[in-house]
């Protein structure tokens, strides 16, 4: 049992993990998974109940070393320290057994560790300079390096692309062969089927079911998570209009992408795919004005927007969901209503005022539309679960009925049902006449697209129409086939 | 003798009556601390009904609010020592409107009515110090002036008088001026640096013995310059204030002189004139019965108390306030 | 999904009163003051407290806005003395210590506000355009601006002032000093502006997450720059009020205020980390500090021990606002 | 797999020298000083600069560690005066202004360090256990601690000091003032401790991401508390050195230092947001400030304009370290 103020995060939940198995924990956003992780790793005490390792009671909360011998973890929230080097992050608080730190030896150990996981990162680089993916890989390498016999991975793949996920799975399989026990949390259920032997479902802070994965139909698993019959998402068919709502011409940004042209029509969803560092995110961020291109122009709704200027893009009718919600997505201390309505603050009252009642009304409507689970429009977004915070960011993108929508990795860390809601929201907007660009590492997301532009080393190499198979698309993304 | 006549002021609570409010300017210098110690003693001697004192910590804004509070609590006369002589004008105006007489100690407000200013002439300090050093050095050489805060009128008066006197009477002497902000740490650093640059410095004028004395001696000691007056390496030091430690240093021959700023007389005559103004007594310019002169100011009167120069010859004089404390 | 065992309203309702955690402290001070000294609760004395705090409260208003936007300004305290001093020197004749430019005396307040705004603009320029640390830029500016007063005035007090600059700080309107009215109106504007206006809300967004604010289309640089300019202007106005109250401009007018300004803002609930706090809260902080000073003065606590009592009361107020506010402070 | 398009080495190599961005500034100052005054480059003068900065440099060392750990301590400056004053009063007779306890004079330095440590421990207690804002707690403590010096001494300067407390600040060892040796050794220890020891590295982890530090098994509270205690102790030691240099303990010893301490640390590259900067960098900051002061004194710049020159040089140093460091400051 775990409470946070009025919120019950865990309510009589229990989980038993057999030695040597890889055990999946699934559930909707806010089901209490991460809370359980922090209790199992000794970061927080449970209000009621106890943790047992191999039948023995867990060590005292203060004895961090004892906990770390028993369990290692990749937390959902980054535990990287940006101002320190990769090498030091890997061996944080165990740089030396005692005595003086020998940096050269430490770097060598770090190099070796990263090599075994094929992470190509300079160990002397500052962790803050790494990309999101690289940071995640460093965290995984660190967790696996403790030599603990029990490892917890809380959504390790939410920020990884296909090949990196594959490498992680290879690693997990070999660990399991060595008898290591793992708890694996993910919102990608196919990963659960691929790597896990048994699965536990949490819902509304309670334990629902634990079963072997084999012989647990996908549909039933989803139903157990959502508590109701849920159909798989069906992307809708539509015919794009003629009007160009978003266009980029001759865009180049040194080190990211080169000479990209792109047009999005009203009623069209254009996907942007590519492996890590292909430049897709950089391109999308240029379209919305977060980055200033070295060359080229961006046109929204026929208006040429000032390069690198978000407000002018928004004024021209753009809405967007940034890559990292914590970084650019929301202001944690401000309420759901306020976060969602920042772009239309000027329209919620006269003479520069913001009418709280109109703001609230608009927010209630968005909360309904996107099915955001919150105490009310007045709750700070910082208190929401990850998926719901992401929905608030979506709400902000949609609040001004944009005619062009750019969404970057919109479903990272979002549960099945929320994912459907978010993709549905994109499609709804497009049906209302908007055009959308959808950037994603998740091939499932890209299925809603009318066509997918594949980028490779900073160039658009192929325009793939609807109807592709995973295999075909991955081949293009990896540069194997043009 | 004081020219006293009895033209009683109206509304001041009548003769002989009324509480006196007092504000101390600061509590972080030895001179003022001695003054603070003398005040209750002198008040008791002269039977002044003194209210609990306030302290404006060298902040004129605090002084203004303190005075408001004192008046609010029923003060019929105010003794203050405004370290910022301009910014008190409005307050003095208000006090005049309320017919509350004001005695200003140590500083002379630029504007606004005061019934009496009790102070020694700070320009005279600077001039005395200049003359002392000039004569000892024979009209040539280099001297350092460790100045106080440039934002204080007394510091500025001493500095200007010293500078002008040197320029006119001893043009052969080079003066280095160090703005120490009444800080010992700055004084030590600046003096040390200046002696490094000009090892032939032969005289030092310290604006405040309380803060400058120990650092100066420490620097001189470090440079092996703390030698008796006969020695050619001797540096002549004249201080200001006349606290007991300065007198002790004069006895030991570490410094040569000081200008004794009479903390006891400040307290005594502050109380005297406060009571006198409540009693309705008034005064006229001219010499007084206590070796001082009252002069006329545009906005009141000023009693210029004597500030003796103390050297080895008269350092044991019992009348020096520095010999009376302990 | 979150299951709510309790109704959410108590939480929300409490949050709304978080600005007012100092109100019990103020009440305690009023009672204590009344018990200790009969003068304390008189309207004359309370008016004095308000008048004495009027100028510094404008600095607290300015600093609260700057802190909420996630920045820092130490140089405000030097502006309090320097802006009116320079403005006055521009209009008075050289014989009275001015520059002798002979500008009309009526210009002195506009000039003063302009000087304040210019200082704020320069701060903003360095901090926003050069991306320098706000703390250290404004620390350097604190020193420089004070020097820019000492230099031209040669450390002297300016006491021959044009009437126009004396008026606001000394006039009485409807039985209350004008400075109280001015501070009151500006605080009301600040409270409303930060609660109900788009521009005010954007300060919270910028202070809470500057990247998110930028991504949401707020013109972050422009807003921040505006806040610095407004801050400098308010500090200059505080200087005008203080000048009128004191009748002259001393060379250390405003010196040492900034610590009290921060203390007032922070015990009033404004976070040093940005994005948190209200103008109303900051106002309660000013009042607490003013009342404490007044009581200490009335009781005539020895100047030597005053700081101890004073600091201890700030600590206690801090602890009370921590307990009532319920959240760890940054 | 992620491939880095550009070779990372130039960037990394630069980062290693980021501590030293002030070295060009120091070189410029040395050249400028030498040109302006022939005394400047003499070993006597440079020794003086180091000796004058020895005491304040210990505060910078303490503050740098506290800032790196993501906290704040303003009260250090008051400890510089209060710790030695109280220690001295404990040992000298009542006739010389002491408490008359008659403790042996040799105890004065240990007592002084103990007082400093106790102040640090109290700060840590309020900040860590009560989770109060470090800025405002230590601001209140700045006032209180200073009051705890003013109260017992009644604002007087303590002139009659035991020899033991004068020794360190005035002795000369191997031709250099002892205080330079002491500061040098402590800085060397600080540089090594923060670069090569787990406890030192844990300060960076705590300042960089306190939750991550906790998850990595660092005993965050204990380390932070230790840093505050160490900070108070270093401030007390600075007080001992300053007392020896000045030969007396004035009632405003240390007052006003804290701004310079922050300026030195921040232009030396220590971030106000925690987790960034080095002790070596902070040391270069101290040197810049010391050299600037020395040059201003040698040139005899008018006291009225000194602050302007001084502040402007800090700004320029800040801009240079910003450009050389390449990153936006916080
Ligand atoms: N520190 C906290 N303070 C208040 N509420 C919290 C805190 N941490 C978690 N919660 C709440 O507890 C509930 C469970 O959160 P938890 O993070 O365990 O969910 P989760 O299952 O990991 O969700 P996700 O899939 O989005 O990661 C949520 O409602 C969340 O808002
Ligand atoms: N802040 C940065 N500074 C310098 N280079 C960067 C930065 N961010 C990304 N890069 C580099 O720019 C290139 C393109 O990055 P971009 O993020 O656009 O690729 P991406 O396709 O979005 O990759 P991913 O799918 O992994 O997010 C990569 O080589 C990346 O390492
Ligand atoms: Mg989670
Ligand atoms: Mg990317």
């Amino acid at each position: 049992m775990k409470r946070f103020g009025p919120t019950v995060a865990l309510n009589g939940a229990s989980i038993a993990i057999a030695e040597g198995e890889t055990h999946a924990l699934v559930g909707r956003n806010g089901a209490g998974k991460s809370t359980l992780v922090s209790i199992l790793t000794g970061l927080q005490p449970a209000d009621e109940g106890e943790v047992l390792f191999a039948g023995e009671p867990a060590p005292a909360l203060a004895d961090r070393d004892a906990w770390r011998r028993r369990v290692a973890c990749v937390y959902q929230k980054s535990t990287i320290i940006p101002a320190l080097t990769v090498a030091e992050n890997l061996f944080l608080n165990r740089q030396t057994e005692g005595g003086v730190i020998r940096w050269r030896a430490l770097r060598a150990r770090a190099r070796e560790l990263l090599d075994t996981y094929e992470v190509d990162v300079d160990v002397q680089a500052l962790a803050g300079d790494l990309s999101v993916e690289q940071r995640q890989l460093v965290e995984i390498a660190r967790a696996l390096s403790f030599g603990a016999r029990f490892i917890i991975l809380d959504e390790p793949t939410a920020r990884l692309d296909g090949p990196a996920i594959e490498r992680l799975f290879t690693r997990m399989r070999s660990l399991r062969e060595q008898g290591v026990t793992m708890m694996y949390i993910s919102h990608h259920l196919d990963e659960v089927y691929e790597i896990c032997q048994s699965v536990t479902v949490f819902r509304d802070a309670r334990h629902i079911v634990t079963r072997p994965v084999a012989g647990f139909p996908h549909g039933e698993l989803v139903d157990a998570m959502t508590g109701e019959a849920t159909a798989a998402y069906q992307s809708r068919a539509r015919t794009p209009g003629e009007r160009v709502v978003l266009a980029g011409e001759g865009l180049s940004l040194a080190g990211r992408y080169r000479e990209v042209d792109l047009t999005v029509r009203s009623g069209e969803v254009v996907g942007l795919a590519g492996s890590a560092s292909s430049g897709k995110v950089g391109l999308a961020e240029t379209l919305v004005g977060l980055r200033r291109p070295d060359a080229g122009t961006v046109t929204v709704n026929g208006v040429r927007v000032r390069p690198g200027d978000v407000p002018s893009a928004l004024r021209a009718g753009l809405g967007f969901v940034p890559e990292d919600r914590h970084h650019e997505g929301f202001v944690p201390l401000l309420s759901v209503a306020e976060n969602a309505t920042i772009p239309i603050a000027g329209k919620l009252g006269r003479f520069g005022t913001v009418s709280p009642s109109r703001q609230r009304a608009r927010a209630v409507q968005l909360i309904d539309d996107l099915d955001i689970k919150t105490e009310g429009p007045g709750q700070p977004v910082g208190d929401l679960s990850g998926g719901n915070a992401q929905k608030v960011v979506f709400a902000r993108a949609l609040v001004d009925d944009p005619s062009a929508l750019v969404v970057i990795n919109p479903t990272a860390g979002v549960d099945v049902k929320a994912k459907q809601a978010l993709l549905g929201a994109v499609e709804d907007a497009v049906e209302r006449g908007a055009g959308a660009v959808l950037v994603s590492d998740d091939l499932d997301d890209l299925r809603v697209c009318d066509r997918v532009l594949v980028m490779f080393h900073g160039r658009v190499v192929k325009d793939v129409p609807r109807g592709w198979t995973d295999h075909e698309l991955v081949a293009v993304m990896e540069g194997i086939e043009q | 003798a004081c020219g006293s006549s009895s033209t009683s002021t109206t509304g001041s609570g009548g003769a002989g009556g009324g509480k006196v409010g007092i504000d101390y300017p600061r509590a972080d210098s030895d001179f003022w601390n001695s003054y603070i110690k003398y005040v209750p003693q002198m008040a008791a001697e002269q039977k002044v009904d003194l209210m609990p004192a306030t302290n404006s910590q060298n902040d004129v804004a605090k002084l203004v609010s303190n005075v408001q509070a004192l008046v609010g609590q029923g003060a019929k006369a105010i003794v203050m020592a405004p370290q910022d002589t301009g910014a008190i004008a409005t307050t003095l105006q208000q006090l005049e409107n309320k017919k509350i007489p004001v005695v200003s100690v140590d500083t002379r407000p630029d504007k606004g009515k005061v019934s009496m200013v009790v102070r020694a002439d700070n320009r005279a300090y600077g001039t005395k110090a200049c003359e002392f050093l000039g004569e000892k050095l024979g009209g040539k050489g280099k001297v350092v002036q460790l100045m106080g805060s440039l934002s204080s009128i007394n510091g500025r008066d001493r500095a200007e008088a010293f500078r002008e006197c040197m320029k006119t009477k001893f043009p052969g002497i080079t003066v280095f001026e160090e703005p120490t902000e009444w800080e010992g740490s700055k004084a030590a650093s600046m003096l040390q640096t200046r002696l490094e640059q000009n090892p032939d410095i032969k005289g030092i004028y310290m604006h405040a013995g309380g803060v400058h004395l120990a650092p100066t001696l420490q620097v001189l000691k470090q440079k092996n310059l703390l030698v008796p007056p006969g020695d050619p390496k001797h540096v002549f030091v004249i201080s200001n204030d006349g606290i007991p430690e300065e007198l002790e240093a004069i006895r030991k021959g570490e410094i040569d002189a000081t200008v004794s700023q009479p903390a006891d007389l400040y307290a005594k005559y502050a109380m005297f004139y406060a009571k006198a103004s409540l009693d309705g007594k008034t005064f006229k310019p001219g010499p007084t019965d206590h070796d001082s002169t009252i002069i006329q100011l545009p906005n009141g009167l000023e009693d210029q108390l004597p500030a003796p120069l103390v050297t080895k010859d008269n350092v044991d004089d019992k009348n020096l306030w520095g010999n009376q404390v302990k | 999904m979150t299951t709510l065992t309790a109704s959410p309203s108590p939480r929300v309702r409490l949050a709304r009163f978080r600005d007012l955690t100092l109100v019990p402290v103020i009440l305690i001070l009023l009672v204590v003051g009344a018990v200790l000294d009969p003068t304390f609760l008189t309207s004359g004395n309370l008016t004095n407290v308000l008048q004495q705090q009027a100028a510094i409260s404008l600095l607290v208003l300015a600093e609260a806005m700057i802190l909420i936007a996630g920045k820092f300004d130490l140089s405000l305290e030097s502006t309090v003395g320097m802006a009116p001093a320079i403005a006055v020197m521009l209009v008075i004749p050289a014989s009275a210590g001015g520059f002798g430019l002979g500008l009309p005396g009526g210009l002195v307040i506009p000039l003063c506000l302009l000087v304040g705004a210019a200082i704020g603009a320069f701060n903003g320029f360095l901090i926003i355009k050069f991306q320098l640390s706000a703390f250290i830029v404004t620390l350097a500016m604190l020193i420089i601006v004070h020097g820019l007063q000492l230099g031209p005035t040669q450390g002297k007090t300016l006491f021959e002032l044009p009437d126009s600059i004396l008026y606001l700080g000394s006039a009485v309107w409807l039985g209350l000093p004008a400075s109280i009215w001015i501070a009151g109106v500006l605080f009301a504007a600040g409270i409303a502006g930060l609660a109900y206006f788009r521009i005010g809300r954007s300060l919270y967004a910028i202070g809470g997450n500057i990247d998110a604010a930028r991504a949401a289309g707020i013109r972050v640089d422009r807003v921040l720059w505006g806040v610095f300019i407004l801050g400098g202007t308010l500090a200059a106005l505080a200087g005008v009020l203080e000048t009128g109250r004191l009748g002259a401009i001393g060379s250390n007018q405003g010196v040492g205020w900034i610590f009290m300004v921060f203390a007032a803002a922070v015990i009033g609930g404004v976070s040093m980390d940005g994005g948190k706090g209200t103008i109303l809260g900051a106002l309660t902080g000013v009042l607490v500090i003013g009342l404490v000073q007044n009581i200490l003065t009335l009781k005539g606590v020895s100047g030597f021990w005053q700081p101890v009592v004073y600091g201890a009361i700030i600590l206690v107020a801090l602890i009370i606002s921590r307990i009532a506010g319920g959240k760890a402070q940054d």
Side-chain angles (χ1 to χ4, degrees), chain A residues 128-134 159 161 254-257 273-283 285 291 323 408-409 439-441 455 458:
Chain A
D129 290 344
L130 301 186
S131 69
V132 182
E133 301 87 333
Q134 289 171 324
R159 296 159 179 282
D161 69 347
R256 307 298 291 267
Y257 56 83
S275 58
S277 305
S278 59
K280 58 185 187 297
V281 172
L283 174 61
E285 289 180 343
R291 287 183 193 284
E323 181 184 22
I408 308 174
N409 284 340
V439 183
S440 183
D441 287 323
M455 294 185 70

Side-chain angles (χ1 to χ4, degrees), chain B residues 139-270:
Chain B
K140 57 182 192 306
K142 296 173 177 170
V143 301
V144 170
Q145 173 171 213
L146 294 178
M147 303 189 292
S149 168
L150 297 173
S151 54
S152 109
I153 173 89
N154 287 339
R156 262 198 331 263
D157 275 357
R158 291 171 203 182
E160 274 169 16
F162 185 81
R163 190 184 304 138
E164 278 164 23
C165 154
M166 278 292 175
K167 209 180 270 170
T168 50
K169 293 191 188 154
F170 306 101
I173 291 183
T174 316
V175 180
F176 296 101
E177 303 189 333
E178 316 298 344
T180 74
E181 299 286 326
W182 307 124
E183 281 175 33
S185 177
K186 284 208 175 107
S189 300
M190 288 172 167
L191 183 61
Q192 188 184 38
T193 301
R194 191 63 71 209
L195 280 170
E196 192 72 39
Q197 187 185 35
N198 295 280
D200 52 344
I201 284 172
K202 282 286 172 264
I204 298 171
Y205 171 36
M206 310 188 291
H207 277 197
V211 286
H212 292 148
L213 176 68
T216 299
L217 293 182
Q218 206 71 353
V219 170
L220 291 178
K221 192 153 77 188
Q222 194 200 341
K223 298 252 175 209
N224 293 318
L225 293 173
L226 212 52
V227 292
D231 194 303
K233 276 168 73 185
H234 181 77
V235 177
F236 289 93
V237 181
I238 176 163
S239 187
N240 210 118
D241 283 0
I243 59 170
E245 285 77 14
E246 286 165 66
L247 303 185
E248 190 57 35
I250 291 174
R251 280 184 203 109
K252 285 197 211 149
E254 291 173 335
I255 68 172
D256 300 274
T258 188
V259 181
S260 174
Q261 172 159 279
D264 53 342
L265 298 185
Y266 274 28
K268 181 174 176 186
Y269 287 98

Side-chain angles (χ1 to χ4, degrees), chain A residues 6-8 29-30 204 309-311 314-315 320 326-328 330-331 333 338 342 345-346 351-354 356 373 383, chain C residues 1-6 8 11-12 196-199 201 204-205 208-209 211-219 274-276:
Chain A
T7 307
V8 179
N29 291 122
D204 294 349
D309 186 54
V310 176
L314 295 189
R315 219 177 312 120
F320 75 97
H326 294 286
H327 184 223
E328 284 157 341
F330 59 83
V331 184
L333 292 169
E338 192 141 14
I342 292 176
F351 312 119
T353 58
V354 178
K373 290 283 172 297
D383 290 356
Chain C
M1 192 196 291
T2 33
T3 345
L4 303 172
T5 42
R11 174 110 184 255
V12 175
Y196 297 108
F197 280 77
R198 187 181 164 197
I199 181 98
R201 297 312 297 173
Y204 286 92
N209 182 346
D211 293 309
R214 207 168 260 134
I218 293 172
R219 298 206 176 270
K276 247 188 272 180

